[in-house]
Amino acid sequence: MNMEEVATVFITDDNPENLSVLSSILEAAGYRTRAALSGTEMLDSIQKQIPDLIILDIHMPKLDGYEVCEQLKQSAKFRDIPVIFCSALGESYNIIKAFDLGGVDYITKPFRGKEVIARVRTHLTLRQKQHELEQAMARLHATQEQLIQTEKMYSMGLMVAGIAHQINNPVNYIINSLNGFRVDLRDLMKLMDQYAKSDPHLPPPMAERVSHIKQEIEYPALIQEMYDLLDGIYQGSMKVHGIVKSLQNFSSSGNRDREPVDIATEIDHAVLMIENQLDDSLKIIHERHEVPPVFTCPGKISQVILQLLQNAVDAVERKKSGENVITIYTFSFEKENRKNCCIQITDTGIGMNSDEVSHALDPFFTTNDSGSRIGLGLTSSYRIVQDMGGTLHIESSEANGTTVSVELPAAID
């Protein structure tokens, strides 16, 4: 309950006159009231709208106040509602039992207005302060977890940078060796073909033998296959080289000075790092338009794009039906007499409702029920974009999927 809002007090008593007196006292003090003549009626009523505080008569037929309070405290939905018991001075009641069952206070009949208001106000204030403390603890916990996650990511970045460096040297050696081997093979094939065709001293049996072997091994096809294999090895090595470069760029993003960064290159890095998660049913389309460079640390925007792509892949996989497409659309625009670039990532996935969209940038919020991913990705991406002077905006519906737009100021020429 927000203290600026009008609190609702639910009164339960089998005596209509008591209900009327308490309602008058509380409403005169500015509170809203609801009332019921039995515990069963009250339990049914609060299912629709939860009150801020309950005043509960102890002596009632069928369900007495103790039994009603016990049911309230057994429910996760209602256990935090403060319960104040009430009973007539001449009636027997057990104060210890009332507190043991979860009651926070008690008042006696006949009611004294100032006492009732003082006790109600006290416990509503305590509940508000408890709620504020819980929120503060949640924020503290979220900050602590994010610091831990950041430290883990930093340590992982150092490890990845080291591994990438170790891999990069042999990969470069393989690529350079393949280029040399291709040239040597071409020269050797040229020599062999020339020798077989033009050597006048080659004995007829030998020429016949060479011709027979060439037919047996399907010489032209063999040569083509060798070149194809070389091309495959080269392309695979270049892909590994690209992944290593992306890892180096990604892991060192927080340790480098800002500089103009090409958005298309960063998108290519991010796509390359996520391709292993894509099956044949999911495709990524990049609709490229010329955009100006962005002034930032290399790899920072790659982190953002990678996280947004990961979210899009998760959303598409969870929908498991229809068209499985992720579209990356880049374009430039003018804003406040300055060039800006926009990256839009749209998926055909499960989407979010309006309430989920409103909380999507909260730390640890996730719509993934599996719990396999900690909900820090969008929060971190949002902060990175803010640090670059940009904005991140989310549009989503359960029918049409999600579009995340990242707008960034262009580097000054």
Side-chain angles (χ1 to χ4, degrees), residues 99-115:
F99 285 125
D100 285 343
L101 289 172
V104 296
D105 210 338
Y106 68 94
I107 53 178
T108 57
K109 308 171 188 175
F111 302 117
R112 290 170 291 186
K114 290 184 178 180
E115 178 190 0

Side-chain angles (χ1 to χ4, degrees), residues 197-215:
K197 291 177 182 178
S198 62
D199 191 348
H201 302 293
L202 193 64
M206 181 62 72
E208 184 178 341
R209 176 65 177 160
V210 169
S211 177
H212 176 73
I213 292 174
K214 290 175 72 174
Q215 291 179 1

Side-chain angles (χ1 to χ4, degrees), residues 118-132:
R119 293 183 186 274
V120 167
R121 182 180 294 119
T122 295
H123 291 292
L124 286 173
T125 301
L126 286 173
R127 188 189 185 204
Q128 174 67 16
K129 296 302 180 184
Q130 181 183 6
H131 180 65
E132 291 173 358

Side-chain angles (χ1 to χ4, degrees), residues 123-148:
H123 291 292
L124 286 173
T125 301
L126 286 173
R127 188 189 185 204
Q128 174 67 16
K129 296 302 180 184
Q130 181 183 6
H131 180 65
E132 291 173 358
L133 179 60
E134 289 171 352
Q135 288 183 320
M137 290 297 294
R139 287 193 296 270
L140 180 62
H141 176 72
T143 302
Q144 182 185 36
E145 289 294 329
Q146 189 159 9
L147 288 172
I148 293 171

Side-chain angles (χ1 to χ4, degrees), residues 353-390:
N353 59 41
S354 58
D355 182 62
E356 290 169 336
V357 171
S358 67
H359 292 286
L361 297 177
D362 295 348
F364 304 100
F365 176 81
T366 178
T367 60
N368 193 335
D369 295 332
S370 67
S372 61
R373 301 187 190 281
I374 191 167
L376 278 172
L378 269 177
T379 306
S380 299
S381 297
Y382 177 65
R383 289 176 179 172
I384 290 172
V385 171
Q386 278 191 318
D387 288 342
M388 290 189 285

Side-chain angles (χ1 to χ4, degrees), residues 188-386:
L188 182 61
M189 292 301 101
K190 187 185 298 183
L191 175 65
M192 291 180 62
D193 288 342
Q194 187 65 32
Y195 179 76
K197 291 177 182 178
S198 62
D199 191 348
H201 302 293
L202 193 64
M206 181 62 72
E208 184 178 341
R209 176 65 177 160
V210 169
S211 177
H212 176 73
I213 292 174
K214 290 175 72 174
Q215 291 179 1
E216 183 179 345
I217 65 174
E218 298 181 354
Y219 178 75
L222 177 64
I223 298 303
Q224 184 59 50
E225 183 180 345
M226 291 173 68
Y227 280 120
D228 290 343
L229 288 172
L230 278 175
D231 284 340
I233 296 171
Y234 180 78
Q235 293 298 327
S237 300
M238 287 301 295
K239 188 164 187 177
V240 173
H241 178 70
I243 292 172
V244 170
K245 291 288 289 182
S246 298
L247 287 172
Q248 288 177 321
N249 198 31
F250 188 86
S251 62
S252 64
S253 60
N255 305 318
R256 297 169 62 178
D257 295 331
R258 294 192 176 197
E259 61 185 64
V261 173
D262 180 58
I263 292 297
T265 301
E266 298 303 307
I267 290 174
D268 290 341
H269 286 161
V271 171
L272 191 60
M273 292 177 69
I274 206 170
E275 274 186 338
N276 68 303
Q277 299 184 37
L278 309 182
D279 56 31
D280 294 336
S281 66
L282 196 159
K283 59 182 178 180
I284 295 179
I285 301 172
H286 184 187
E287 297 185 8
R288 298 172 184 263
H289 295 264
E290 186 175 348
V291 294
V294 174
F295 196 72
T296 185
C297 300
K300 278 289 188 182
I301 194 63
S302 181
Q303 289 184 19
V304 173
I305 296 167
L306 182 62
Q307 180 59 55
L308 298 182
L309 285 175
Q310 182 66 71
N311 290 350
V313 170
D314 289 345
V316 170
E317 288 179 345
R318 289 172 63 200
K319 190 172 185 180
K320 298 178 181 177
S321 63
E323 187 179 17
N324 299 328
V325 179
I326 298 170
T327 303
I328 307 171
Y329 183 54
T330 53
F331 60 93
S332 61
F333 63 98
E334 292 277 343
K335 184 177 182 180
E336 297 178 356
N337 298 321
R338 180 170 180 172
K339 283 187 177 180
N340 292 265
C341 72
C342 182
I343 308 163
Q344 285 186 344
I345 298 179
T346 299
D347 65 67
T348 57
I350 194 168
M352 295 181 284
N353 59 41
S354 58
D355 182 62
E356 290 169 336
V357 171
S358 67
H359 292 286
L361 297 177
D362 295 348
F364 304 100
F365 176 81
T366 178
T367 60
N368 193 335
D369 295 332
S370 67
S372 61
R373 301 187 190 281
I374 191 167
L376 278 172
L378 269 177
T379 306
S380 299
S381 297
Y382 177 65
R383 289 176 179 172
I384 290 172
V385 171
Q386 278 191 318

Side-chain angles (χ1 to χ4, degrees), residues 69-81:
C69 185
E70 189 171 19
Q71 290 191 33
L72 288 170
K73 299 308 174 182
Q74 289 175 351
S75 168
K77 187 177 179 181
F78 305 126
R79 65 167 61 112
D80 292 332
I81 305 173

